Amino acid sequence: MDAPLVRAARAGSQAAFARLVAIHEKPLRGFLRKSGWFDADDIAQEAFVAAWTSLGRLRADDGFRAWLYGIAWRKAQDQHRAASRSARRDEDWRGQEALEAVSEVAQEDRMALQAALDTLPADQRACVTLCLGQGWSHPEASEALGLPLGTVKSHVTRGRERLQAVLGDPS
């Protein structure tokens, strides 16, 4: 049933490929959903795009369905591995941040600093956070934030003064 449409699609017929999509879209999405993939629609769409771009690699015209499902399954597996890696990186980062925060500053001091930072305008807060909190140079912050260098310098100076006034100058 698929073979004539596959041959036409290989010859460049977008209409033939659209017909293949119409035939296989609903069953493929159902297979992915039943296999536990909550983002089945996205995976199926990626599989159809991959199938269209690599149609020349299909060995047998009558094997389109199995080939398409194989592409979708590999896409789902790739997405799962990427999500797992991302979640592990996020968790590692959160754990590292928590360790650094605990070792550096007491909870009440962090809360006071956050409250003081919240009193600053957004641009000023960003400059203070990057330059004073994360050790960026003024030119780096200027480039990242898209602000003139002089503006970054004045935001850092004014922000520091404001924070010292709100938190009390320890010196």
Side-chain angles (χ1 to χ4, degrees), residues 126-136 138 156-157 159-161 163:
C127 292
V128 167
T129 301
L130 290 177
C131 295
L132 300 180
Q134 296 187 5
W136 288 35
H138 292 138
V156 171
T157 300
R160 179 187 294 124
E161 291 169 355
L163 291 176

Side-chain angles (χ1 to χ4, degrees), residues 20-77:
L20 286 167
V21 169
I23 292 169
H24 295 287
E25 181 177 28
K26 188 174 180 180
L28 179 62
R29 289 173 196 260
F31 160 72
L32 291 167
R33 280 193 192 95
K34 288 175 185 168
S35 298
W37 303 105
F38 296 109
D39 44 1
D41 295 340
D42 293 339
I43 295 168
Q45 184 173 352
E46 288 178 28
F48 282 116
V49 169
W52 173 251
T53 59
S54 61
L55 199 53
R57 289 187 257 164
L58 175 61
R59 290 191 183 116
D61 293 347
D62 59 352
F64 178 79
R65 183 176 67 172
W67 179 71
L68 174 66
Y69 277 57
I71 290 172
W73 184 251
R74 286 186 297 280
K75 293 274 182 201
Q77 296 295 334

Side-chain angles (χ1 to χ4, degrees), residues 130 136 139-147:
L130 290 177
W136 288 35
E140 288 174 323
S142 171
E143 183 178 339
L145 299 173
L147 296 172

Side-chain angles (χ1 to χ4, degrees), residues 78-98 100:
D78 290 346
Q79 188 177 53
H80 175 69
R81 282 189 293 274
S84 295
R85 283 190 305 268
S86 179
R88 278 193 306 274
R89 277 192 308 268
D90 289 350
E91 190 58 37
D92 290 346
W93 178 81
R94 278 194 289 280
Q96 185 63 33
E97 287 288 309
E100 289 173 5

